[in-house]
Amino acid sequence: MKVTVINTGGTFNKRYNPIKGQLEVPTDNIALDKIIAACHNIEFEIKNIVSKDSLDMTDEDRVEICEAIKNSANDKIIIIHGTDTVHLTSALIKEQINDKKIVFTGAMVPMSIEEVEATMNFSLALGFLSATVENGTYIAMHGVVVDSSKLVKNRQLGQFLITK
Amino acid sequence: MKVTVINTGGTFNKRYNPIKGQLEVPTDNIALDKIIAACHNIEFEIKNIVSKDSLDMTDEDRVEICEAIKNSANDKIIIIHGTDTVHLTSALIKEQINDKKIVFTGAMVPMSIEEVEATMNFSLALGFLSATVENGTYIAMHGVVVDSSKLVKNRQLGQFLITK
Amino acid sequence: MKVTVINTGGTFNKRYNPIKGQLEVPTDNIALDKIIAACHNIEFEIKNIVSKDSLDMTDEDRVEICEAIKNSANDKIIIIHGTDTVHLTSALIKEQINDKKIVFTGAMVPMSIEEVEATMNFSLALGFLSATVENGTYIAMHGVVVDSSKLVKNRQLGQFLITK
Amino acid sequence: MKVTVINTGGTFNKRYNPIKGQLEVPTDNIALDKIIAACHNIEFEIKNIVSKDSLDMTDEDRVEICEAIKNSANDKIIIIHGTDTVHLTSALIKEQINDKKIVFTGAMVPMSIEEVEATMNFSLALGFLSATVENGTYIAMHGVVVDSSKLVKNRQLGQFLITK
């Protein structure tokens, strides 16, 4: 299986900078690399673009993400994205692209602080793409992979929950 | 989604006992619970049976696992199993049960020592069951979920690899 | 041995709040408790006061810390403090108190993100107090325990280094 | 400060070998290196000898450790040692060498499994050597550094406790 990962930043990637005393969104894939090291049966193509907290994403950033997906020769795509505006980006992609299997994922807690949640969310996407799935825009968070319009961040609980 | 997890032991669950100075297969689900804590959209039914290193599993143990699957009212089942004889148990189950979606998983390194691999393997199974999949016996390890006969442990590399 | 720990906050204690998406200085001792769980030969008295990033500490906060030390019946005291202004607080304490063994410590990276540095710094203080030491104001960071005026934070490197 | 570390193996250093499915005492200093990376004020000299579970140590091994200490030009020495027979080795050293400050340490749980205890024990030794201490043979475990004859492993609790 060949999977294209478009890493756009967000909490998933954040790391503590001891000199500045704060968490930063890096432009590298260190968080992702630690997960991928346990994958021995997938050919990954990784693109790192935008590299922002999703609260700071602009319309231009979303166009860039959209173009990156359109330009991918591969039709199995995982997008790592900040949790605050993943609903906006995925809605845009859903509207514009319908010939690929696109799975958004991310994390509420940085991989560098706690490895279980980020690893789970990314691996849910991989497991879903191992099945025969229809083209569409999906989201993989907190135990499930569903159509991207059907899983919503509950900001009080800090959890992505399936809408009724 | 409702998922039945049958936890049979294996490296996935091993924990260090400082009094005895060795790793043990516990009869509890502590390793699993840490992963499940990040799942907010699944109703889990968890059964802990056998609780062995898979090298020590007997024919009777495999019959017990088979019966547990048959007796499950739910048709989405994840089996946590030791990696050394998962091919034997899954072959038996594949032969005897064909009305459920059964996904074997496990780990090369205990969850208590390194969280990424065990979390990935279990989450691959969850992500796969999120898709519409046919009844069958599958294995979720090291990046993919495939028919249980098609992923084999390479004992030199310590990796499960897809057979050609 | 009986040791009084005055936990005033700082990076040592910071934890990620997934709801707010940022690191916070908690008012509890969770970071400390994890270290203390490995101590079986010390009677600890723990006081949690101030609970601030040390950049936010006021003169009043420093007076409160000073009073807490003066009021301690025990003469072996460890102060957990933010690294940015530990030189100011320790200089004040050094001036005002000379009948106790007071060891400042802290961390450049939160215990909740990386356990080695915070555990080392606190344990250096404990090891130092196990020896017969003179009354004074000391600092325990990055491998050594010395007079508090002799170890200075290098802000470019993010390291406490002994002054020549 | 210059410190000589003689790493003889034991639980402190153990690592899981996924190919063999068991914990091994390596002949490298990876466990130690992770702690030393947080020390910016000490010049370390590190010798790796014996590399055994201390239950497997022979009289010859103890002679080798004794010679290594005698041959050290430096008088501040930390010995990393397995917990099961550290009382035997330290008693021998105490009898034979009295012109150095020798601190035995180790861990009940491998550094590769849990970082707090091993980091604490080693750092206790460093903090103790930061003070002005008399020549002698000491042990640094579980919160304190005392004469090596006064801290004994309680095998039921898995804790080193000060003898009355």
Side-chain angles (χ1 to χ4, degrees), chain B residues 13-79:
Chain B
N13 292 281
K14 283 184 182 169
R15 278 206 307 277
Y16 190 71
N17 180 330
I19 311 291
K20 296 191 181 168
Q22 59 192 33
L23 290 163
E24 295 177 334
V25 181
T27 57
D28 59 48
N29 297 303
I30 288 181
L32 183 59
D33 289 345
K34 193 156 186 186
I35 302 176
I36 282 178
C39 290
H40 309 304
N41 297 284
I42 295 180
E43 185 184 344
F44 284 105
E45 173 193 38
I46 299 172
K47 298 176 184 177
N48 194 311
I49 60 174
V50 182
S51 302
K52 285 187 183 173
D53 189 314
S54 77
L55 287 172
D56 301 328
M57 271 194 192
T58 63
D59 289 349
E60 288 71 32
D61 292 327
R62 294 199 165 86
V63 169
E64 186 182 348
I65 294 170
C66 192
E67 290 305 307
I69 300 172
K70 284 182 182 164
N71 292 335
S72 168
N74 186 21
D75 75 339
K76 295 188 174 183
I77 297 176
I78 298 175
I79 318 278

Side-chain angles (χ1 to χ4, degrees), chain C residues 108 117 120-121 124 140-144 158-160, chain D residues 38-41:
Chain C
M108 291 299 296
E117 188 220 355
M120 157 167 287
N121 293 340
L124 287 169
M141 292 289 288
H142 296 169
V144 290
Q159 302 174 351
F160 278 75
Chain D
C39 290
H40 310 304
N41 296 283

Side-chain angles (χ1 to χ4, degrees), chain C residues 107-151:
Chain C
M108 291 299 296
V109 180
M111 178 73 184
S112 64
I113 294 182
E114 200 279 303
E115 295 182 337
V116 171
E117 188 220 355
T119 301
M120 157 167 287
N121 293 340
F122 184 81
S123 304
L124 287 169
L126 280 182
F128 183 76
L129 291 174
S130 268
T132 304
V133 295
E134 291 181 15
N135 290 333
T137 304
Y138 304 93
I139 182 165
M141 292 289 288
H142 296 169
V144 290
V145 189
V146 295
D147 183 279
S148 61
S149 64
K150 295 190 178 152
L151 198 68

Side-chain angles (χ1 to χ4, degrees), chain A residues 36 52 76 111 145 155 163:
Chain A
I36 282 178
K52 286 187 183 174
K76 295 187 174 184
M111 177 73 182
V145 189
R155 290 169 200 278
T163 54

Side-chain angles (χ1 to χ4, degrees), chain A residues 1 34-36 38-42 111 114-117 119-133 141-146 151 158-162, chain B residues 1 34-36 38-42 111 114-117 119-133 141-146 151 158-162:
Chain A
M1 184 159 78
K34 194 156 187 188
I35 302 175
I36 282 178
C39 291
H40 309 304
N41 296 284
I42 295 180
M111 177 73 182
E114 200 281 302
E115 296 183 335
V116 172
E117 188 220 353
T119 301
M120 156 168 286
N121 294 339
F122 184 80
S123 303
L124 286 168
L126 280 182
F128 183 77
L129 291 173
S130 268
T132 304
V133 295
M141 291 289 287
H142 296 169
V144 290
V145 189
V146 295
L151 197 68
Q159 302 174 351
F160 278 76
L161 300 177
I162 291 178
Chain B
M1 185 160 75
K34 193 156 186 186
I35 302 176
I36 282 178
C39 290
H40 309 304
N41 297 284
I42 295 180
M111 177 73 183
E114 199 281 301
E115 296 183 336
V116 172
E117 187 220 354
T119 301
M120 157 168 286
N121 294 340
F122 184 80
S123 303
L124 287 168
L126 280 183
F128 183 76
L129 291 174
S130 269
T132 304
V133 295
M141 290 290 288
H142 296 170
V144 290
V145 189
V146 295
L151 197 68
Q159 303 174 350
F160 278 76
L161 300 177
I162 291 177

Side-chain angles (χ1 to χ4, degrees), chain C residues 21-22 34 36 38 49 56 58 67 74-76 81 90 94 103 109 115-116 121 130 134 139 147 153:
Chain C
Q22 58 193 35
K34 193 157 187 187
I36 283 178
I49 60 174
D56 301 329
T58 63
E67 290 304 308
N74 186 21
D75 75 339
K76 295 188 174 183
H81 196 288
S90 61
K94 193 180 180 65
V103 188
V109 180
E115 295 182 337
V116 171
N121 293 340
S130 268
E134 291 181 15
I139 182 165
D147 183 279
K153 179 171 174 174

Side-chain angles (χ1 to χ4, degrees), chain C residues 34-35 38-42 111 115-116 119-120 123-124 126-128 130-131 142-145 159-162, chain D residues 34-35 38-42 111 115-116 119-120 123-124 126-128 130-131 133 142-145 159-162:
Chain C
K34 193 157 187 187
I35 302 175
C39 291
H40 309 304
N41 296 284
I42 295 180
M111 178 73 184
E115 295 182 337
V116 171
T119 301
M120 157 167 287
S123 304
L124 287 169
L126 280 182
F128 183 76
S130 268
H142 296 169
V144 290
V145 189
Q159 302 174 351
F160 278 75
L161 300 177
I162 291 177
Chain D
K34 193 157 187 187
I35 301 175
C39 290
H40 310 304
N41 296 283
I42 295 180
M111 177 73 184
E115 296 182 336
V116 172
T119 301
M120 158 169 286
S123 304
L124 286 168
L126 280 182
F128 183 76
S130 269
V133 295
H142 296 169
V144 291
V145 189
Q159 302 174 352
F160 278 75
L161 300 178
I162 291 178

Side-chain angles (χ1 to χ4, degrees), chain A residues 75-94:
Chain A
D75 75 338
K76 295 187 174 184
I77 297 174
I78 298 175
I79 318 278
I80 298 175
H81 195 289
T83 62
D84 280 314
T85 68
V86 65
H87 59 294
L88 299 179
T89 308
S90 61
L92 178 76
I93 299 302
K94 193 181 179 64

